[in-house]
Each structure stands twice: as C-alpha cells, then as structure tokens.
C-alpha cells in the first residue's frame, strides 16, 4: 500500500479542521535501552524506577516493535528531523566510520558527514510554516550554531542544542552554563532537571498557541552523573539481571521525574486533552555486549534482546516508544506494528493536519492509523538499515559492529556483513534473541531477503564499503 521510499506530497498550510491542532511534546532520550523502563520489563522486580513513564503507557499506546534508524545517535536524530534515513541524508554515524585501528579494518568504510544539510526541510520548519511555535531543548548533534543549530533548522527557541554529542564541557551534568547555548542555569543545577524546568516554562508561556516542543535530554548518555540523593536508594537495591548500575538508574529516574512534572503541568493548564506526548529513545542502551561475544557487558543489559548501542542486533536498534494522544489513542493499548524514527516526520505532520514538503523523498510513512487503532497494519514492504562503517568496542579488533546492511520483513531479519559477506537470518517471532542463524537452513527465505536488500540498496544508491587492495 505504501512504499518504504516515497515522495512527499504538496506543501502544507494551516489546518482547516474545526478540531484544534494538537500540541506535541516529544521527549527523546539518549541511549535508553529497551528494557530500561518498566513498561518493557519482562520481570516484576525491575531495578529501575519509572512510575511516570508507566503511567503514560497506561494512558496511551506502547509500541513493542519501535526502532531507531541507526544504532547510535546522530544518524537517528537526522532521520527524525528530516524524515530521511541514510543514505537519503548523509549522516550514518558519529564523527567517522573509520573507527579503531586501520589494520583491524578489513574493508574501507564510507566517509560520513556530521552536519544535517540546511536544504533538508525539518519537522520544525514545516510546523512553523503552519503556525506552530517550536522549541528545541537538549542534545542536537546535527551541526553547530550559529551555522547549523536548531534555529537554523526551523526552531524558534534553542536551549542547549549544540554540535557536541554529549556534555563534554567542563562540569558536564552539573554545570549546564558551560554549554555554549545555556546561560541561565542555577548554580549546581543538574542538567536533566534544568532542561525539564525550561520545558515547563515554555509550555506555560505558549499555552495559547499550538506548539511543538522537542525535549532531548543529554541523559542517559555517559558520563554517568546524578545527584547523590538519587543514587543512594539504588545502591541499597539488589541487582536484577544485568541491571545494577546505581548512577545509571538515578539518571533514568531523573528523566522519569521530569516527565512527571511535564504531565502535571499539562493537567494544571488544561492542555492534556489536546497534547500528544511522545516518549522515545534514539538507540539502544550502552550494554548487552557479552551477548555478541565481547568480554565486558557495559552499563545496562537488554536481555532477551541481543547486543546494545552500536550493534544492529535488536538490542541496538529496538527501543521503547510510548505515545499518549487523548481523543485518538485508546488508553492502555499495545501495538506490535513496526515503526521507525523516520516515520515521525510524516506522522506528526499528519496529526497536525499539515502537508508534507514538496520534493523531499521520505523513508518514513505516517503511523497515525496505528494510533487510531492498535490492530492496524501499515502493510509496508520492509524496514531497512545501512551502516557502511565501524564502531569500536573495548579494544583492538573488538567491534560493536563492522559494516553491515539490514532488512526486516515481517518476522524475518537478514544482516549482511561486508567484511566477509556473511549473512545472518533470524525469525524474530520464534527467536527474539537472535540465537539461531537460519541462513543455511532456509535458503529460499535467504534468497528472498537478499533480493529485497539488494533492490533497496540500488534504489537508494547506497554507498558500499570497498575491499582493500592486495
């Protein structure tokens, strides 16, 4: 019904519907793993504490097959902003795809860009044209102000959005004013608390006009830092599976605490019924690496999913997604329909009754029909990922991933690794943990999936890593 690669329709104008356009609050967490929030935990004795996210799930829809467009942050954020995943836009990794020592790399990775081109029309630009107030707060990582920051990409307000991928400035999470785009934090204020406080202020100031607020906390990215008073209770808790880092747990709880304040503010102002609230992660958490054969596991775990951030196994790309949209989405519902980060561009414009920009091909499709009915199937052909570079792990020759392309169609997932053209084929319905490679046992399915992947790579003119010359 809808192709994975499509051309945008006519440019949108303001809605003519009598129904007021929804406000949108998009909380986009950094490096939060699939099982790091209670709605996704398979165990009743979850180590982390996320009561407000659990409340949000009870009031909205939980997605069990939500994916990021990449296994690390910058390309995922570029896809969300533009509706274009790599290679339709030029960012596929953070900094360089030539990670690790050159002698350990068996193929030549493709060059990467670090700035989202200014000619890409963003979700903020399109909503602003339609009369929305727009604000960005937190991690940007798509280019530096004043050339390519949030304001240059359509946002009216920028609080903290810089080119830097994480708080590398002195003081990190406890000195927000060292961020070049922040100058009004209180002394010693925790960065996560500051960003959620500014978000509350923005909602109060803009309650009379439709607004799009993208709140992208730097949490839970390293460095691991949180207030001592929030760390201590977790030090007294028993570990649960691979979840045992008290500081990481305190960072998660700080994000949850901020979400609680946002929900309270919307209720207080009478905005709940006309505000869509989205909770989503940019990629898997920093952990789960023992399941791919590495010695160290990292900060968190994703069991039963395999791998974590930087891998294209499920633990690296399958992420939590909860959406509350009163009057549209039934409370407490769950959907298994697969969705991608690039789907948000057409979905949010659809929800706001705003047309797509002309002449900008999109990878994503609107999943508003799923929000209206959890049993809806989007009938898309497949989901695709392409990563023509390297991501290092802990030492020489230790990789989170080598160059790889991935396709998922129905329950089937095929991975092609370019160093040796190794194929891995999994049935996620019967083997969520990707433990049984069926590439040799299911030759007909392997051939079908390879055909899908090859056709997509050709259709998108995807750059392929080159073999080294002898």
């Amino acid at each position: 019904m809808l192709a994975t690669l499509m051309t945008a329709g006519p440019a949108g104008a303001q809605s003519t519907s009598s129904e007021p356009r929804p406000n949108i609050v998009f909380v986009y967490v950094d490096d939060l793993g699939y099982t790091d929030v209670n709605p996704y935990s398979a165990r009743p004795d979850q180590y982390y504490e996320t009561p407000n996210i659990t409340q949000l799930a009870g009031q909205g829809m939980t997605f069990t097959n939500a994916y990021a467009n990449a296994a690390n942050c910058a390309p995922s954020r570029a896809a969300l902003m533009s509706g274009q995943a790599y290679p339709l836009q030029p960012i596929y990794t953070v900094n360089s795809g030539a990670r690790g020592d050159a002698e350990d790399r068996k193929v030549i990775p493709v060059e990467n860009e670090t700035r989202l081109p200014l000619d890409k029309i963003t979700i903020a630009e399109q909503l602003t044209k339609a009369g929305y107030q727009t604000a960005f707060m937190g991690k940007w990582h798509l280019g530096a102000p004043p050339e390519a920051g949030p304001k240059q990409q359509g946002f009216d307000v920028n609080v903290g959005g810089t080119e830097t991928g994480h708080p590398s400035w002195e003081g990190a999470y406890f000195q927000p004013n060292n961020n070049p785009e922040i100058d009004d934090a209180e002394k010693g204020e925790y960065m996560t608390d500051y960003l959620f406080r500014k978000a509350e202020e923005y909602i109060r100031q803009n309650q009379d006009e439709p607004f799009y607020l993208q709140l992208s906390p730097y949490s839970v990215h390293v460095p691991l830092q949180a207030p001592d008073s929030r760390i201590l209770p977790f030090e007294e808790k028993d570990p649960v599976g691979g979840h045992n880092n008290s500081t990481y747990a305190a960072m998660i709880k700080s994000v949850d605490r901020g979400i609680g304040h946002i929900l309270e503010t919307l209720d207080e102002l009478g905005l709940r019924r006309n505000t869509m609230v989205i909770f989503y992660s940019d990629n898997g958490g920093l952990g789960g690496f023992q399941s791919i054969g590495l010695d160290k596991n990292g900060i968190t775990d994703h069991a039963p999913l395999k791998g974590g951030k930087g891998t294209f196994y499920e633990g690296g790309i399958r992420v939590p997604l909860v959406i509350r949209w009163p009057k549209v989405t039934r409370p407490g519902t769950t959907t298994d329909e697969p969705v991608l980060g690039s789907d948000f561009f057409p979905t949010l414009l659809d929800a706001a009754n705003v047309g797509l920009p002309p002449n900008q091909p999109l990878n994503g499709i609107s999943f508003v029909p799923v929000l209206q009915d959890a049993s809806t199937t989007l009938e898309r052909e497949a989901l695709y990922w392409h990563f023509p570079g390297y991501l290092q792990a802990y030492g020489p020759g230790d990789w989170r991933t080598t160059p790889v392309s991935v396709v998922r169609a129905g329950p089937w997932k095929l991975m092609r690794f370019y160093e040796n053209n190794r194929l891995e084929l999994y049935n996620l319905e019967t083997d969520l943990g990707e433990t049984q490679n069926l590439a040799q046992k299911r030759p007909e399915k392997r051939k079908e999936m390879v055909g899908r992947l090859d056709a997509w790579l050709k259709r998108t003119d995807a750059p392929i890593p080159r073999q080294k010359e002898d």
Side-chain angles (χ1 to χ4, degrees):
M1 181 174 67
L2 287 169
T4 305
L5 178 63
M6 67 181 190
T7 302
Q14 293 192 15
S15 169
T16 58
S17 170
S18 59
E19 188 74 18
R21 291 173 295 170
N23 306 308
I24 302 169
V25 177
F26 197 138
V27 181
Y28 194 28
V29 188
D30 192 9
D31 286 5
L32 184 71
Y34 187 78
T35 61
D36 290 347
V37 290
N38 291 352
Y40 290 86
S41 174
R43 304 175 56 139
D45 54 344
Q46 171 69 290
Y47 181 72
Y48 307 117
E49 298 176 4
T50 58
N52 294 298
I53 297 168
T54 300
Q55 173 188 332
L56 188 70
Q59 297 168 346
M61 181 176 289
T62 300
F63 290 72
T64 63
N65 282 272
Y67 286 95
N69 283 97
N72 58 356
C73 50
S76 293
R77 292 164 189 272
L80 178 72
M81 280 288 96
S82 66
Q84 294 185 326
Y86 182 81
L88 287 189
Q89 56 78 24
I91 301 173
Y92 77 84
T93 189
V94 175
N95 299 325
S96 172
R99 300 287 190 94
D101 296 332
E103 58 267 26
D104 294 324
R105 300 193 298 264
K106 297 179 181 178
V107 296
I108 301 173
V110 173
E111 290 189 8
N112 179 61
E113 297 291 338
T114 59
R115 188 177 88 168
L116 184 67
L118 293 178
D119 62 358
K120 300 296 183 184
I121 297 175
T122 68
I123 182 69
E125 288 174 307
Q126 201 68 0
L127 287 173
T128 298
K129 290 177 186 176
Y132 270 74
Q133 304 299 309
T134 57
F136 185 90
M137 300 184 182
K139 180 173 178 175
W140 175 245
H141 209 184
L142 298 175
E147 292 80 20
K151 286 189 174 181
Q152 289 72 49
Q153 294 283 18
F155 286 96
D156 303 317
V157 173
N158 172 29
V159 178
T162 73
E163 186 171 28
T164 306
H166 59 83
S168 57
W169 52 86
E170 182 182 357
Y173 286 107
F174 286 96
Q175 294 187 35
N177 287 339
N178 285 340
N179 178 316
E181 299 299 321
I182 295 175
D183 62 6
D184 62 345
E186 299 171 3
K187 184 177 181 179
E189 189 172 15
Y190 185 47
M191 172 64 85
T192 304
D193 294 350
Y194 167 81
L195 290 173
F196 276 99
R197 176 170 66 81
K198 296 298 289 186
E200 291 178 61
E201 292 177 2
Y202 180 83
I203 292 170
R204 293 181 186 280
Q205 293 165 358
N206 292 275
Q207 59 182 292
D208 295 328
E209 298 290 338
F211 61 81
Y212 174 70
L213 167 60
Q214 184 170 325
L215 174 56
S216 299
Y218 285 94
S219 292
V220 290
H221 199 291
V222 293
L224 297 187
Q225 295 179 357
D228 290 341
S229 61
R230 298 180 200 173
I231 296 173
L232 183 60
F234 290 99
E235 291 181 341
E236 299 173 350
K237 294 182 70 171
D238 293 330
V240 178
H243 301 155
N244 54 26
N245 190 297
S246 58
T247 305
Y248 182 73
M251 295 174 79
I252 292 174
K253 186 166 185 177
S254 295
V255 171
D256 183 81
R257 179 175 179 264
I259 290 172
H261 291 323
I262 293 293
L263 298 181
E264 290 172 0
T265 300
L266 293 173
D267 284 347
E268 176 191 336
L269 299 177
L271 298 177
R272 173 175 171 171
R273 282 180 54 81
N274 196 42
T275 301
M276 178 191 292
V277 179
I278 303 165
F279 171 80
Y280 182 54
S281 178
D282 65 347
N283 48 248
L286 191 64
F289 301 124
Q290 287 179 341
S291 65
I292 62 169
L294 299 177
D295 291 335
K296 298 179 182 178
N297 204 48
I299 295 167
T300 187
D301 197 15
H302 306 92
L305 304 186
K306 182 178 181 177
K309 177 183 178 179
T311 81
F312 284 81
Y313 295 104
E314 292 296 287
I317 54 176
R318 189 184 292 218
V319 294
L321 170 62
V322 177
I323 299 178
R324 186 183 79 179
W325 189 9
K327 299 185 291 184
V328 175
T329 299
R330 291 182 57 192
T333 51
T334 298
T335 179
D336 298 326
E337 184 64 18
V339 297
L340 276 165
S342 53
D343 292 336
F344 278 106
F345 189 101
T347 298
L348 298 185
L349 294 181
D350 190 0
N353 198 17
V354 175
L356 299 173
N359 306 318
Q360 181 156 304
L362 303 179
N363 290 104
I365 62 177
S366 172
F367 59 85
V368 164
V370 177
L371 294 171
Q372 295 169 331
D373 181 352
S375 65
T376 297
T377 299
L378 295 175
E379 299 182 24
R380 85 168 99 204
E381 176 218 352
L383 308 179
Y384 298 93
W385 295 262
H386 182 53
F387 187 86
Y390 288 83
L391 280 176
Q392 206 171 11
Y394 297 110
D398 280 348
W399 305 110
R400 285 181 279 168
T401 192
T402 57
V404 63
S405 293
V406 183
V407 55
R408 175 179 169 177
W412 291 97
K413 177 180 176 183
L414 180 122
M415 310 176 74
R416 174 194 283 151
F417 292 90
Y418 287 97
E419 283 196 337
N420 53 12
N421 286 319
R422 184 177 82 254
L423 297 176
E424 297 183 12
L425 177 67
Y426 301 103
N427 186 326
L428 298 178
E429 187 174 297
T430 59
D431 181 25
L432 183 60
E434 298 169 287
T435 62
Q436 300 295 319
N437 180 5
L438 302 176
Q440 298 304 316
K441 293 183 178 180
R442 295 294 302 269
E444 292 184 2
K445 179 57 68 174
R446 181 191 70 215
K447 181 179 179 181
E448 173 196 329
M449 297 291 283
V450 167
R452 288 180 186 271
L453 182 58
D454 285 343
W456 179 80
L457 292 169
K458 182 178 180 180
R459 191 161 68 240
T460 59
D461 196 23
I464 304 299
R466 293 183 292 112
Q467 296 293 324
K468 290 184 176 180
E469 296 180 0
D470 294 333

